[in-house]
Amino acid sequence: MTIIIDQPELGSQPEKLSSETNELVLDGGFPVPKDGFMAPEINSFGNSFRDYDAKSERQKTVEEFYRINHINQTYDFVKQMREAYGKLDRVEMSIWECCELLNDVIDDSDPDLDEPQIEHLLQTAEAIRKDYPNEDWLHLTGLIHDLGKVLLHPSFGELPQWAVVGDTFPLGCAFDEANVHHKYFKENPDYNNPDYSTKNGIYSEGCGLDNVMISWGHDDYMYLVAKENKTTLPPAALFVIRYHSFYPLHRHGAYKHLMNEEDVENLKWLHIFNKYDLYSKSKVRIDVEKVKPYYLSLIEKVKPPLLIL
């Protein structure tokens, strides 16, 4: 199932982060909010965030997810999925209706949360909104960044979890050890392909992430949707949507040799976004009806305010 978004003009492309409001101060040349969102030390299960070895009720489910994911995500598989889902020829639905579908979706790859995904969308967007009140494009990005997870829903094909969620990584080059549960890549058909077994693989250093095949999932899906519909969201938003699950890069610094100058600039916004995406996960529920009017007002700027799935 495929989504089409004709996105709103929200703000403008941030050539660099602005420190013009009283909410921001410069920290090493990069603005951060004063008295802003403080990342908690433990997740809702009492463990450190993204601790894939913690003995929790989620650990076995998460590790089994990554075993299957790492075996099946191959270069050829991703190529086929991008071709199939890039047709953009399905059903019309509003952005908010799409968000509500995620009431029925739990992400098996997430060791930090077992709440419906609509909660995560709103927790992320609201935390960003509090610290960056003038960056409305970033608020909307927070709301829609995981909408591709509707592919897990029975109404839209019910793709397996390993083909929709989880950390993402490049195909066509060696699997970096920064990837979580790296050991399971040994069973991936690409692992022993000599064309894909070197650091650069089929790519050249500095080629730019746009030219790199990334494992298939909700991130790449939403990126394709926005790009093919000539979204008016800034390039930084598209970068965040496509790479927010690319933890080997933005958490561990792997694969940076493939980045170009534009990637380097956009990565700064992704680092900001990731704090809210990861650490806003909580058992504390958002009052949906209270915040809904604000997000509907952003969605109204969409022309038209519909998704085609």
Side-chain angles (χ1 to χ4, degrees):
M1 309 309 166
T2 316
I3 301 176
I4 290 183
I5 306 178
D6 187 2
Q7 286 287 7
E9 287 196 35
L10 297 176
S12 59
Q13 164 63 358
E15 295 180 2
K16 59 181 180 179
L17 292 180
S18 170
S19 59
E20 294 177 354
T21 74
N22 292 328
E23 296 295 322
L24 303 176
V25 293
L26 288 177
D27 178 15
F30 204 71
V32 295
K34 292 179 181 177
D35 303 321
F37 176 78
M38 297 298 293
E41 294 182 359
I42 60 174
N43 64 18
S44 58
F45 297 101
N47 302 311
S48 299
F49 282 86
R50 288 183 58 81
D51 185 347
Y52 290 92
D53 297 316
K55 299 300 181 182
S56 73
E57 57 189 282
R58 293 280 289 167
Q59 191 272 338
K60 290 183 179 179
T61 297
V62 172
E63 181 166 353
E64 177 61 12
F65 162 84
Y66 276 106
R67 185 187 71 82
I68 299 172
N69 172 276
H70 290 354
I71 292 172
N72 289 287
Q73 289 274 0
T74 66
Y75 187 95
D76 287 343
F77 168 76
V78 175
K79 185 177 179 181
Q80 292 169 9
M81 295 299 281
R82 286 176 63 87
E83 290 175 354
Y85 283 89
K87 296 177 181 178
L88 308 179
D89 58 358
R90 308 298 172 121
V91 178
E92 288 191 359
M93 178 176 289
S94 74
I95 290 175
W96 191 261
E97 287 174 325
C98 198
C99 290
E100 289 180 329
L101 281 181
L102 296 186
N103 272 322
D104 300 324
V105 171
I106 303 293
D107 185 340
D108 282 350
S109 74
D110 192 341
D112 300 318
L113 190 69
D114 60 357
E115 297 293 332
Q117 285 297 294
I118 190 173
E119 289 292 325
H120 171 56
L121 297 183
L122 290 171
Q123 287 170 349
T124 302
E126 282 294 282
I128 293 171
R129 181 184 172 194
K130 180 178 178 181
D131 284 359
Y132 294 91
N134 298 322
E135 303 292 349
D136 54 358
W137 68 271
L138 197 56
H139 309 165
L140 185 59
T141 301
L143 182 70
I144 71 171
H145 76 284
D146 273 349
L147 281 191
K149 291 180 181 179
V150 296
L151 295 177
L152 294 168
H153 196 277
S155 299
F156 301 101
E158 200 169 11
L159 290 182
Q161 291 257 346
W162 64 262
V164 181
V165 299
D167 287 7
T168 57
F169 45 87
L171 284 307
C173 60
F175 299 112
D176 194 281
E177 291 188 1
N179 289 293
V180 64
H181 292 305
H182 175 270
K183 60 186 177 183
Y184 294 120
F185 283 120
K186 292 180 181 180
E187 299 179 60
N188 185 302
D190 288 355
Y191 187 82
N192 294 313
N193 185 327
D195 292 335
Y196 303 157
S197 62
T198 63
K199 182 178 181 180
N200 287 338
I202 62 174
Y203 310 111
S204 59
E205 188 165 337
C207 64
L209 295 180
D210 272 349
N211 296 307
V212 176
M213 189 77 81
I214 302 294
S215 57
W216 177 253
H218 68 282
D219 314 62
D220 205 26
Y221 178 48
M222 283 303 297
Y223 166 76
L224 282 175
V225 166
K227 179 184 176 185
E228 293 303 316
N229 285 273
K230 298 179 174 58
T231 177
T232 56
L233 280 172
L238 295 184
F239 190 92
V240 166
I241 289 169
R242 191 181 189 196
Y243 301 116
H244 70 270
S245 298
F246 192 2
Y247 276 87
L249 171 71
H250 62 73
R251 182 71 172 259
H252 302 290
Y255 303 106
K256 281 190 173 181
H257 61 286
L258 299 176
M259 296 171 64
N260 59 23
E261 292 182 4
E262 184 178 2
D263 294 331
V264 171
E265 287 302 309
N266 286 330
L267 184 60
K268 296 174 183 178
W269 278 109
L270 181 51
H271 280 143
I272 283 183
F273 179 85
N274 176 249
K275 181 175 77 168
Y276 301 96
D277 184 22
L278 177 59
Y279 296 112
S280 66
K281 296 173 183 177
S282 169
K283 292 287 188 179
V284 179
R285 294 294 189 97
I286 298 290
D287 186 337
V288 176
E289 294 307 313
K290 182 178 179 179
V291 302
K292 182 177 178 179
Y294 173 71
Y295 292 102
L296 289 179
S297 74
L298 295 187
I299 292 169
E300 281 300 313
K301 297 180 182 180
V302 178
K303 299 169 288 186
L306 292 175
L307 307 178
I308 298 191
L309 301 93

